[in-house]
Amino acid sequence: MLRTLNTVMEVRGVSGANRLIYYFRGIPVLGKTMKDSVYSNWALKKTFTVIALILRILFAFSTRFAYLGLIIYLPVLMTAGDLPLTQQYDLYLHILVLLSFAVSAVSNAIILESKRDKYICVKLMRMPADKYMHATLSLKGISFFVYFVPAMMVFAGLFGAPLWHGILLALLLTLWRTAAEALHLLVFDRKGIVVVKQNALVWSVIGIGYALAFLPLYTGSAWLDMDTVLISLPAVLAVLLPGIIAVIYIARYPRFRNAVDAVTKIDDPLLDMSRMMKEANRKQVETKEQDISAEQLQPGQFTGKNGYAYLNAIFFSRHRRLLVQPIQRRLMIIAGLSAAGLLLQLTAPELFAQLIRYLIGGLPVFVIVMNFTSIGELVCKAMFFNCDLSLLRYGFYRERAAILSNFRIRLLRLSGLNLIPAAAICLALNLLIFLSGEGWSAAEALIFSGTVLGLSLFFSVHHLFMYYIFQPYSTELNMRNPFFTIVNSIITGVAVIALQFKGAPGQFALFVLLAAAAYTLIALVLVYRYSHRTFRVK
Amino acid sequence: MELVLDNIRKNYNDKQVLKGVDFTFEKGKIYGLLGRNGAGKTSLFNCLSGETPMDSGGAFLRRNEISLPLSESEIGYVFSLPILPEFLTGYEFVKFYMDINRDKIQTGRTIEDYFNIISFEEEDRHRLIKGYSHGMKNKIQMLCFIITRPPLILLDEPLTSFDVVVALEIKKLLREMKQDHIIIFSTHILQLAADLCDELVILNNGVLQEIPADLLRSPEFEEKVISLLRDGNGHA
């Protein structure tokens, strides 16, 4: 068994080291110092493996402290800090039992979890399934206990309980969870059900378990004298016996091969997080065949349009669901908020007036609101994945004139789409302010609307400009270009600074419109000059 | 018309893939580019088409003593994995392509005529490319160069995805087109290369080597090519 364990650890270690190297090489500038050949440098890799192992162990100890400290100890301290320590200890134990003994026993079982390394060792490297499972489960059981001991002792100590309570609790938890693992295996063996994959069940248990766990914090006391109940001979025996039976059951279980096969199907997305991310990303913006009716595919739909106008007309029409839904959602939110505002005016005019005064002075907030209202990023993602990713492979599509003509058409379309919610915001705001009876001149209304519409245009240009100059997406649709993030952070920073603006709305509007105009001008010039070099698939 | 490759070099990180490719391709011939997996066939094509920049060297088109750098618009490139915008129908893509390249097209042919050339089923023309098979996508890509007739046509492993009937049609088409074009055809299927191509060129160890024409028809052709591919410096 030790040999199997050694092999498994080696596989984990080497893939961990490779991953470290891979990410290190991805860091701009610094990563270039590391050559391709490091992957074959065994001495260096051993060092990386050891570093990864040490990091993992430290991380494991600290997560136990974080779990007990942040999830259990802190809430108890904050809500019941004035109770005597013994009562606090009861609350702490109550939450611990419900979360760790009850909820996690259902949601965190590892015996039937889909895991990359299970797939690699058993399916690819043909390690016998029972040997693999025995080795990894033993390691898991022992390390589970060891990692929990220090944290359990510290928190028991904080409540004035003897330190051996901590050790006993860690031991009980380990045995209890082993019994739970065995039960998961039994259910799988008898019924063929993988309990951890029954999302409805798992999430109900999590929801109910957490609610029950934290309920006593509101009622003010635990329902039982927890430490007397838990740290007693019957309770210990009640955990010890099933634990030992479970160990024997797992050790002698003959059909581990099935248990491994059931959760290591090659197409299981849980095995490959990067593929799952990729698919989730793609799903978000994918062209859906069922969105498009047969008539829409007939020629003559877009007569009168040529070249890039034709292409974009089809693109925006075929991705209507993708583009219209977010607009509709934004309109619904605006409508909902306006309705809530009106309701407030009828029921609590005092509060409403206060809110309106805040709104009138709160023009700078709209820098951030309009950023979130813009659908630019989504549109760019959809354009990249469904259209540009393939067409950029053609020389004619990369020519400067082509890129610019395409950019122009897209900018108009995107601005048009973004102006819809922007106009709705203007309408809703002016209506609410008008109804509130606050002093609101036509000039003020104009300034307000002008700023909102200006910002909407600004963010349309911004997103498209970023897309054409930094082309941040890789073929997997995750962001690859660090400059993209940097420029975006600068814009967010400016927006936050704008929040501090204390002058008159008129000044602010002027400032925003000038800044937006300057930015737009620079962006257009940059796109004009450089996009034929920067707009590529990377 | 000739395509002159002059000392093209390309490295990926520490790996030298193209180590000074020198060669002259002539109009009117179909060239078979042979090379083992990973030899750099696709890298060479990507460098020529401007998709990836070369580290050094250049490619020139020479017409009557005048050499000009090869430009992207002079190349028709058929990728081994056909890449087309999937939200369009085949018909729409071809229309868009014709719109964009209007100045390069011989007048007189309609979209339907072009589809007929590659015998593309009527009802398939108005379906989304998303649902096309590999072979259908490849045909659409072929249609691109049939429409614009660029001087240089690069085909990266194209015929492998076609059934025998279509493969024969495409072969005929390529033979008909060859007098006005330089056609380079990468493959690792020897039979296909021997059958279709007028000249064979081997990419091995990062350089191009020509295989003498008489060898192409000789009985020991296969063995010779394999020995060339194996050690790379064998002199045939």
Side-chain angles (χ1 to χ4, degrees), chain A residues 11-194:
Chain A
V11 171
R12 281 185 194 172
V14 172
S15 40
N18 283 347
R19 213 167 301 148
L20 269 182
I21 296 173
Y22 181 81
Y23 286 127
F24 183 81
R25 282 163 52 93
I27 304 172
V29 188
L30 204 61
K32 293 278 183 294
T33 56
M34 205 176 256
K35 293 246 180 332
D36 260 351
S37 53
V38 290
Y39 285 110
S40 56
N41 183 340
W42 271 101
L44 187 70
K45 229 183 224 185
K46 266 272 176 279
T47 322
F48 265 109
T49 311
V50 174
I51 294 174
L53 183 67
I54 294 172
L55 285 178
R56 205 178 303 145
I57 292 176
L58 288 178
F59 184 71
F61 276 112
S62 47
T63 47
R64 294 338 187 261
F65 275 98
Y67 166 63
L68 292 180
L70 296 176
I71 310 274
I72 309 182
Y73 178 72
L74 201 64
V76 171
L77 195 69
M78 274 162 49
T79 51
D82 45 353
L83 292 180
L85 277 182
T86 48
Q87 283 189 38
Q88 287 186 37
Y89 190 42
D90 282 338
L91 285 170
Y92 166 84
L93 288 177
H94 170 88
I95 300 173
L96 178 71
V97 165
L98 273 158
L99 297 191
S100 276
F101 283 75
V103 172
S104 295
V106 178
S107 66
N108 272 6
I110 56 150
I111 202 157
L112 286 164
E113 91 187 318
S114 296
K115 214 172 164 195
R116 224 175 147 65
D117 121 331
K118 199 184 259 185
Y119 178 78
I120 293 172
C121 290
V122 179
K123 291 298 255 287
L124 291 182
M125 294 171 61
R126 303 268 149 199
M127 203 179 265
D130 50 349
K131 279 195 175 159
Y132 169 85
M133 290 303 289
H134 289 156
T136 49
L137 286 174
S138 312
L139 177 69
K140 182 76 190 180
I142 293 166
S143 59
F144 185 87
F145 173 68
V146 171
Y147 290 144
F148 253 120
V149 166
M152 286 283 197
M153 284 169 70
V154 166
F155 287 104
L158 284 176
F159 289 113
L163 293 184
W164 61 266
H165 270 204
I167 304 178
L168 184 64
L169 277 173
L171 183 68
L172 288 180
L173 183 57
T174 310
L175 286 169
W176 180 259
R177 294 283 287 277
T178 310
E181 298 286 351
L183 208 58
H184 278 268
L185 189 60
L186 187 71
V187 170
F188 171 75
D189 196 54
R190 294 283 152 81
K191 307 266 179 209
I193 298 171
V194 179

Side-chain angles (χ1 to χ4, degrees), chain B residues 153-170:
Chain B
I153 294 171
L154 304 174
L155 300 125
D156 196 1
E157 302 267 357
L159 296 190
T160 20
S161 63
F162 291 144
D163 63 57
V164 278
V165 179
V166 183
L168 192 70
E169 286 169 9
I170 300 287

Side-chain angles (χ1 to χ4, degrees), chain A residues 28 92 114 157-158 163 193 215-216 232 267 291-292 343 415 421 464 491:
Chain A
Y92 166 84
S114 296
L158 284 176
L163 293 184
I193 298 171
L215 193 62
S232 65
D267 53 349
D291 284 357
I292 302 159
L343 206 67
S415 308
L464 209 58
I491 295 288

Side-chain angles (χ1 to χ4, degrees), chain A residues 299 307-308 310 318 393-394, chain B residues 51 83-84 87 92 99 141:
Chain A
Y308 291 100
Y310 179 71
R318 301 260 153 96
R393 298 218 53 186
Y394 294 82
Chain B
E51 180 129 331
I83 297 164
L84 292 162
F87 69 96
E92 287 160 349
D99 283 348
Q141 285 215 309

Side-chain angles (χ1 to χ4, degrees), chain B residues 68-194:
Chain B
L68 289 173
L70 186 67
S71 81
E72 286 184 17
S73 62
E74 290 169 316
I75 305 159
Y77 186 0
V78 177
F79 313 111
S80 57
L81 278 174
I83 297 164
L84 292 162
E86 302 206 315
F87 69 96
L88 298 177
T89 64
Y91 181 93
E92 287 160 349
F93 177 72
V94 174
K95 171 173 164 15
F96 166 66
Y97 189 78
M98 288 172 71
D99 283 348
I100 297 304
N101 295 289
R102 188 167 302 145
D103 50 331
K104 301 187 191 105
I105 302 176
Q106 295 176 318
T107 44
R109 277 190 177 149
T110 63
I111 301 183
E112 269 75 20
D113 294 337
Y114 283 120
F115 275 114
N116 292 336
I117 293 177
I118 53 165
S119 21
F120 206 88
E121 297 289 335
E122 193 102 23
E123 67 262 25
D124 289 337
R125 298 174 192 179
H126 300 297
R127 278 176 41 210
L128 284 189
I129 293 178
K130 196 175 164 71
Y132 282 7
S133 70
H134 193 107
M136 285 157 81
K137 288 183 187 171
N138 241 328
K139 272 188 178 179
I140 299 278
Q141 285 215 309
M142 298 259 177
L143 203 49
C144 289
F145 71 72
I146 295 172
I147 292 169
T148 48
R149 308 198 153 249
L152 175 61
I153 294 171
L154 304 174
L155 300 125
D156 196 1
E157 302 267 357
L159 296 190
T160 20
S161 63
F162 291 144
D163 63 57
V164 278
V165 179
V166 183
L168 192 70
E169 286 169 9
I170 300 287
K171 270 198 274 188
K172 267 200 243 157
L173 193 79
L174 288 177
R175 287 211 187 93
E176 281 164 28
M177 286 181 80
K178 74 175 184 182
Q179 59 271 20
D180 302 319
H181 302 268
I182 301 165
I183 298 177
I184 312 176
F185 186 113
S186 94
T187 184
H188 41 229
I189 300 175
L190 261 180
Q191 243 49 57
L192 191 63

Side-chain angles (χ1 to χ4, degrees), chain B residues 60-71:
Chain B
F60 304 91
L61 266 191
R62 183 154 72 208
R63 294 182 176 95
N64 312 321
E65 303 305 311
I66 295 171
S67 288
L68 289 173
L70 186 67
S71 81

